[in-house]
Short mmCIF file of all heavy atoms in Angstrom, two decimals:
data_model
loop_
_atom_site.label_atom_id
_atom_site.label_comp_id
_atom_site.label_asym_id
_atom_site.label_seq_id
_atom_site.Cartn_x
_atom_site.Cartn_y
_atom_site.Cartn_z
N ALA U 30 17.49 80.85 78.85
CA ALA U 30 17.02 81.74 77.78
C ALA U 30 17.94 82.96 77.66
O ALA U 30 18.31 83.36 76.55
CB ALA U 30 15.58 82.18 78.05
N GLU U 31 18.32 83.54 78.80
CA GLU U 31 19.22 84.69 78.78
C GLU U 31 20.58 84.33 78.19
O GLU U 31 21.16 85.10 77.42
CB GLU U 31 19.39 85.24 80.19
CG GLU U 31 18.15 85.92 80.72
CD GLU U 31 18.30 86.35 82.18
OE1 GLU U 31 19.45 86.47 82.66
OE2 GLU U 31 17.26 86.56 82.82
N THR U 32 21.07 83.17 78.53
CA THR U 32 22.36 82.71 78.01
C THR U 32 22.30 82.51 76.50
O THR U 32 23.21 82.90 75.76
CB THR U 32 22.80 81.41 78.71
OG1 THR U 32 22.90 81.66 80.12
CG2 THR U 32 24.12 80.90 78.17
N LEU U 33 21.22 81.91 76.05
CA LEU U 33 21.06 81.70 74.61
C LEU U 33 20.99 83.03 73.87
O LEU U 33 21.65 83.21 72.84
CB LEU U 33 19.79 80.88 74.33
CG LEU U 33 19.85 79.41 74.72
CD1 LEU U 33 18.46 78.78 74.66
CD2 LEU U 33 20.83 78.66 73.83
N ARG U 34 20.22 83.97 74.41
CA ARG U 34 20.11 85.30 73.78
C ARG U 34 21.47 85.98 73.73
O ARG U 34 21.84 86.57 72.71
CB ARG U 34 19.12 86.18 74.55
CG ARG U 34 17.75 86.26 73.95
CD ARG U 34 16.89 87.37 74.56
NE ARG U 34 16.84 87.33 76.02
CZ ARG U 34 16.10 86.51 76.74
NH1 ARG U 34 15.33 85.63 76.13
NH2 ARG U 34 16.10 86.56 78.04
N ALA U 35 22.21 85.92 74.83
CA ALA U 35 23.53 86.55 74.89
C ALA U 35 24.50 85.94 73.88
O ALA U 35 25.40 86.63 73.39
CB ALA U 35 24.11 86.43 76.30
N ALA U 36 24.29 84.69 73.55
CA ALA U 36 25.15 84.01 72.57
C ALA U 36 24.65 84.20 71.14
O ALA U 36 25.22 83.65 70.21
CB ALA U 36 25.22 82.52 72.90
N GLY U 37 23.57 84.97 71.00
CA GLY U 37 23.02 85.20 69.67
C GLY U 37 22.23 84.03 69.13
O GLY U 37 22.05 83.89 67.92
N LEU U 38 21.75 83.17 70.02
CA LEU U 38 20.99 81.99 69.63
C LEU U 38 19.51 82.18 69.97
O LEU U 38 19.16 82.98 70.85
CB LEU U 38 21.53 80.76 70.35
CG LEU U 38 22.99 80.42 70.04
CD1 LEU U 38 23.50 79.36 71.00
CD2 LEU U 38 23.12 79.97 68.59
N PRO U 39 18.63 81.45 69.28
CA PRO U 39 17.20 81.56 69.58
C PRO U 39 16.90 81.09 71.00
O PRO U 39 17.36 80.03 71.43
CB PRO U 39 16.54 80.64 68.56
CG PRO U 39 17.57 80.32 67.55
CD PRO U 39 18.90 80.53 68.19
N ALA U 40 16.13 81.87 71.72
CA ALA U 40 15.77 81.54 73.10
C ALA U 40 14.29 81.23 73.23
O ALA U 40 13.79 81.02 74.33
CB ALA U 40 16.13 82.71 74.01
N ASP U 41 13.58 81.16 72.11
CA ASP U 41 12.12 81.00 72.13
C ASP U 41 11.66 79.78 72.92
O ASP U 41 10.72 79.87 73.71
CB ASP U 41 11.57 80.90 70.70
CG ASP U 41 11.88 82.12 69.87
OD1 ASP U 41 12.50 83.06 70.38
OD2 ASP U 41 11.52 82.12 68.68
N MET U 42 12.31 78.66 72.71
CA MET U 42 11.87 77.43 73.37
C MET U 42 12.05 77.52 74.89
O MET U 42 11.18 77.14 75.65
CB MET U 42 12.62 76.23 72.80
CG MET U 42 12.06 74.92 73.21
SD MET U 42 12.86 73.66 72.19
CE MET U 42 12.30 72.21 72.97
N ALA U 43 13.18 78.04 75.33
CA ALA U 43 13.42 78.20 76.76
C ALA U 43 12.46 79.21 77.37
O ALA U 43 11.95 79.01 78.47
CB ALA U 43 14.87 78.62 77.01
N GLU U 44 12.18 80.30 76.65
CA GLU U 44 11.23 81.30 77.15
C GLU U 44 9.83 80.71 77.28
O GLU U 44 9.12 80.98 78.25
CB GLU U 44 11.21 82.51 76.22
CG GLU U 44 12.49 83.32 76.30
CD GLU U 44 12.61 84.37 75.21
OE1 GLU U 44 11.85 84.32 74.22
OE2 GLU U 44 13.50 85.22 75.34
N ALA U 45 9.44 79.89 76.32
CA ALA U 45 8.12 79.25 76.38
C ALA U 45 8.04 78.28 77.55
O ALA U 45 7.04 78.25 78.27
CB ALA U 45 7.83 78.53 75.07
N ALA U 46 9.09 77.51 77.77
CA ALA U 46 9.11 76.58 78.90
C ALA U 46 9.02 77.33 80.22
O ALA U 46 8.30 76.93 81.14
CB ALA U 46 10.36 75.72 78.85
N ALA U 47 9.75 78.44 80.33
CA ALA U 47 9.69 79.25 81.55
C ALA U 47 8.30 79.83 81.77
O ALA U 47 7.81 79.88 82.91
CB ALA U 47 10.73 80.37 81.49
N ALA U 48 7.64 80.24 80.70
CA ALA U 48 6.28 80.78 80.81
C ALA U 48 5.31 79.72 81.31
O ALA U 48 4.46 79.98 82.17
CB ALA U 48 5.82 81.33 79.47
N VAL U 49 5.45 78.50 80.80
CA VAL U 49 4.60 77.40 81.26
C VAL U 49 4.85 77.14 82.74
O VAL U 49 3.91 77.05 83.54
CB VAL U 49 4.85 76.12 80.43
CG1 VAL U 49 4.24 74.90 81.09
CG2 VAL U 49 4.30 76.29 79.02
N MET U 50 6.09 77.04 83.13
CA MET U 50 6.42 76.74 84.52
C MET U 50 5.96 77.85 85.46
O MET U 50 5.55 77.59 86.59
CB MET U 50 7.90 76.49 84.65
CG MET U 50 8.33 75.21 83.97
SD MET U 50 10.11 75.01 84.04
CE MET U 50 10.33 73.79 82.78
N SER U 51 6.03 79.09 84.99
CA SER U 51 5.58 80.21 85.81
C SER U 51 4.09 80.14 86.10
O SER U 51 3.63 80.58 87.16
CB SER U 51 5.91 81.53 85.12
OG SER U 51 7.31 81.71 85.04
N ARG U 52 3.34 79.60 85.18
CA ARG U 52 1.89 79.48 85.40
C ARG U 52 1.56 78.48 86.49
O ARG U 52 0.47 78.51 87.05
CB ARG U 52 1.20 79.09 84.09
CG ARG U 52 1.25 80.23 83.10
CD ARG U 52 0.57 79.88 81.82
NE ARG U 52 0.71 81.00 80.90
CZ ARG U 52 0.00 81.14 79.81
NH1 ARG U 52 -0.90 80.24 79.49
NH2 ARG U 52 0.18 82.17 79.02
N TRP U 53 2.50 77.62 86.82
CA TRP U 53 2.31 76.63 87.89
C TRP U 53 2.98 77.07 89.19
O TRP U 53 3.07 76.29 90.13
CB TRP U 53 2.85 75.28 87.46
CG TRP U 53 1.98 74.56 86.48
CD1 TRP U 53 0.62 74.59 86.41
CD2 TRP U 53 2.40 73.66 85.48
NE1 TRP U 53 0.17 73.77 85.40
CE2 TRP U 53 1.26 73.18 84.81
CE3 TRP U 53 3.64 73.20 85.07
CZ2 TRP U 53 1.31 72.28 83.76
CZ3 TRP U 53 3.71 72.30 84.02
CH2 TRP U 53 2.55 71.85 83.37
N GLU U 54 3.43 78.30 89.28
CA GLU U 54 4.15 78.77 90.46
C GLU U 54 3.33 78.59 91.75
O GLU U 54 3.86 78.21 92.79
CB GLU U 54 4.52 80.24 90.29
CG GLU U 54 5.43 80.76 91.36
CD GLU U 54 5.91 82.17 91.06
OE1 GLU U 54 6.32 82.43 89.91
OE2 GLU U 54 5.85 83.00 91.97
N GLY U 55 2.05 78.83 91.68
CA GLY U 55 1.19 78.68 92.85
C GLY U 55 0.94 77.24 93.26
O GLY U 55 0.37 76.98 94.32
N ASP U 56 1.39 76.30 92.44
CA ASP U 56 1.17 74.88 92.72
C ASP U 56 2.37 74.25 93.43
O ASP U 56 2.44 73.03 93.59
CB ASP U 56 0.91 74.12 91.42
CG ASP U 56 -0.35 74.61 90.73
OD1 ASP U 56 -1.24 75.14 91.41
OD2 ASP U 56 -0.43 74.48 89.49
N LYS U 57 3.29 75.08 93.89
CA LYS U 57 4.53 74.61 94.51
C LYS U 57 4.27 73.53 95.57
O LYS U 57 3.55 73.74 96.53
CB LYS U 57 5.24 75.80 95.16
CG LYS U 57 6.51 75.43 95.86
CD LYS U 57 7.16 76.66 96.47
CE LYS U 57 8.43 76.27 97.21
NZ LYS U 57 9.08 77.45 97.79
N ASP U 58 4.87 72.38 95.33
CA ASP U 58 4.84 71.24 96.26
C ASP U 58 3.44 70.72 96.58
O ASP U 58 3.25 70.04 97.57
CB ASP U 58 5.59 71.57 97.55
CG ASP U 58 7.08 71.77 97.31
OD1 ASP U 58 7.61 71.17 96.35
OD2 ASP U 58 7.70 72.51 98.07
N GLN U 59 2.46 71.01 95.74
CA GLN U 59 1.10 70.51 95.94
C GLN U 59 0.90 69.26 95.09
O GLN U 59 0.40 69.32 93.98
CB GLN U 59 0.07 71.58 95.56
CG GLN U 59 0.11 72.81 96.45
CD GLN U 59 -0.99 73.77 96.11
OE1 GLN U 59 -2.12 73.37 95.86
NE2 GLN U 59 -0.66 75.05 96.06
N TYR U 60 1.29 68.13 95.64
CA TYR U 60 1.26 66.88 94.88
C TYR U 60 -0.12 66.26 94.79
O TYR U 60 -0.32 65.30 94.06
CB TYR U 60 2.27 65.89 95.47
CG TYR U 60 3.68 66.33 95.22
CD1 TYR U 60 4.36 67.09 96.16
CD2 TYR U 60 4.31 66.02 94.03
CE1 TYR U 60 5.67 67.52 95.91
CE2 TYR U 60 5.60 66.44 93.78
CZ TYR U 60 6.27 67.19 94.72
OH TYR U 60 7.55 67.62 94.48
N GLY U 61 -1.11 66.81 95.48
CA GLY U 61 -2.45 66.25 95.43
C GLY U 61 -3.38 66.96 94.46
O GLY U 61 -4.58 66.74 94.49
N LEU U 62 -2.83 67.78 93.58
CA LEU U 62 -3.67 68.52 92.64
C LEU U 62 -4.35 67.60 91.64
O LEU U 62 -3.81 66.58 91.25
CB LEU U 62 -2.82 69.52 91.85
CG LEU U 62 -2.25 70.70 92.62
CD1 LEU U 62 -1.25 71.45 91.76
CD2 LEU U 62 -3.37 71.62 93.05
N GLU U 63 -5.53 68.00 91.26
CA GLU U 63 -6.27 67.29 90.21
C GLU U 63 -5.76 67.76 88.85
O GLU U 63 -5.35 68.92 88.69
CB GLU U 63 -7.76 67.56 90.32
CG GLU U 63 -8.39 67.05 91.60
CD GLU U 63 -8.42 65.54 91.66
OE1 GLU U 63 -8.56 64.90 90.61
OE2 GLU U 63 -8.29 65.00 92.78
N LEU U 64 -5.82 66.89 87.87
CA LEU U 64 -5.40 67.24 86.51
C LEU U 64 -6.17 68.44 85.99
O LEU U 64 -5.59 69.33 85.36
CB LEU U 64 -5.56 66.04 85.57
CG LEU U 64 -5.19 66.28 84.12
CD1 LEU U 64 -3.73 66.71 83.99
CD2 LEU U 64 -5.45 65.03 83.29
N THR U 65 -7.46 68.52 86.27
CA THR U 65 -8.26 69.66 85.78
C THR U 65 -7.75 70.98 86.35
O THR U 65 -7.74 71.99 85.64
CB THR U 65 -9.76 69.47 86.14
OG1 THR U 65 -9.87 69.23 87.55
CG2 THR U 65 -10.36 68.32 85.36
N ASP U 66 -7.31 70.98 87.61
CA ASP U 66 -6.76 72.20 88.20
C ASP U 66 -5.43 72.58 87.55
O ASP U 66 -5.19 73.75 87.26
CB ASP U 66 -6.56 72.02 89.71
CG ASP U 66 -7.86 71.89 90.45
OD1 ASP U 66 -8.88 72.46 90.00
OD2 ASP U 66 -7.88 71.19 91.49
N VAL U 67 -4.59 71.59 87.34
CA VAL U 67 -3.28 71.84 86.71
C VAL U 67 -3.48 72.43 85.31
O VAL U 67 -2.81 73.39 84.94
CB VAL U 67 -2.46 70.53 86.65
CG1 VAL U 67 -1.24 70.69 85.78
CG2 VAL U 67 -2.06 70.11 88.06
N LEU U 68 -4.39 71.87 84.56
CA LEU U 68 -4.65 72.38 83.21
C LEU U 68 -5.26 73.78 83.25
O LEU U 68 -4.94 74.63 82.42
CB LEU U 68 -5.55 71.42 82.44
CG LEU U 68 -4.90 70.06 82.11
CD1 LEU U 68 -5.93 69.14 81.46
CD2 LEU U 68 -3.68 70.23 81.23
N SER U 69 -6.10 74.03 84.24
CA SER U 69 -6.70 75.35 84.40
C SER U 69 -5.61 76.39 84.68
O SER U 69 -5.61 77.48 84.11
CB SER U 69 -7.72 75.33 85.54
OG SER U 69 -8.21 76.63 85.78
N HIS U 70 -4.66 76.05 85.55
CA HIS U 70 -3.57 76.97 85.87
C HIS U 70 -2.68 77.18 84.66
O HIS U 70 -2.17 78.29 84.44
CB HIS U 70 -2.74 76.43 87.03
CG HIS U 70 -3.54 76.23 88.27
ND1 HIS U 70 -3.12 75.43 89.30
CD2 HIS U 70 -4.74 76.73 88.66
CE1 HIS U 70 -4.02 75.45 90.26
NE2 HIS U 70 -5.02 76.22 89.88
N LEU U 71 -2.49 76.15 83.87
CA LEU U 71 -1.69 76.25 82.66
C LEU U 71 -2.33 77.20 81.65
O LEU U 71 -1.65 77.95 80.96
CB LEU U 71 -1.50 74.87 82.03
CG LEU U 71 -0.62 74.77 80.80
CD1 LEU U 71 0.79 75.29 81.10
CD2 LEU U 71 -0.57 73.34 80.31
N ARG U 72 -3.65 77.22 81.62
CA ARG U 72 -4.37 78.08 80.68
C ARG U 72 -4.44 79.53 81.16
O ARG U 72 -4.84 80.40 80.40
CB ARG U 72 -5.79 77.55 80.48
CG ARG U 72 -5.83 76.26 79.71
CD ARG U 72 -7.26 75.81 79.48
NE ARG U 72 -7.29 74.52 78.85
CZ ARG U 72 -7.65 73.39 79.47
NH1 ARG U 72 -8.04 73.40 80.73
NH2 ARG U 72 -7.63 72.23 78.82
N SER U 73 -4.09 79.79 82.40
CA SER U 73 -4.17 81.16 82.94
C SER U 73 -3.25 82.10 82.17
O SER U 73 -2.26 81.67 81.60
CB SER U 73 -3.83 81.16 84.42
OG SER U 73 -2.44 80.99 84.60
N GLN U 74 -3.57 83.35 82.21
CA GLN U 74 -2.78 84.34 81.48
C GLN U 74 -2.10 85.31 82.45
O GLN U 74 -1.88 86.46 82.13
CB GLN U 74 -3.70 85.13 80.53
CG GLN U 74 -4.33 84.28 79.46
CD GLN U 74 -3.30 83.65 78.54
OE1 GLN U 74 -2.37 84.29 78.09
NE2 GLN U 74 -3.48 82.38 78.27
N SER U 75 -1.77 84.84 83.65
CA SER U 75 -1.23 85.74 84.68
C SER U 75 0.29 85.87 84.68
O SER U 75 0.85 86.39 85.60
CB SER U 75 -1.69 85.23 86.06
OG SER U 75 -1.19 83.94 86.29
#
Side-chain angles (χ1 to χ4, degrees):
E31 290 175 20
T32 301
L33 289 169
R34 260 193 309 282
L38 298 169
D41 301 359
M42 191 169 171
E44 290 169 346
V49 166
M50 292 176 197
S51 294
R52 291 181 182 195
W53 284 327
E54 189 173 313
D56 298 334
K57 179 180 178 179
D58 294 332
Q59 295 185 42
Y60 290 93
L62 291 170
E63 296 291 327
L64 178 59
T65 54
D66 293 330
V67 169
L68 293 175
S69 175
H70 301 161
L71 183 58
R72 290 183 185 108
S73 74
Q74 297 298 315
S75 62

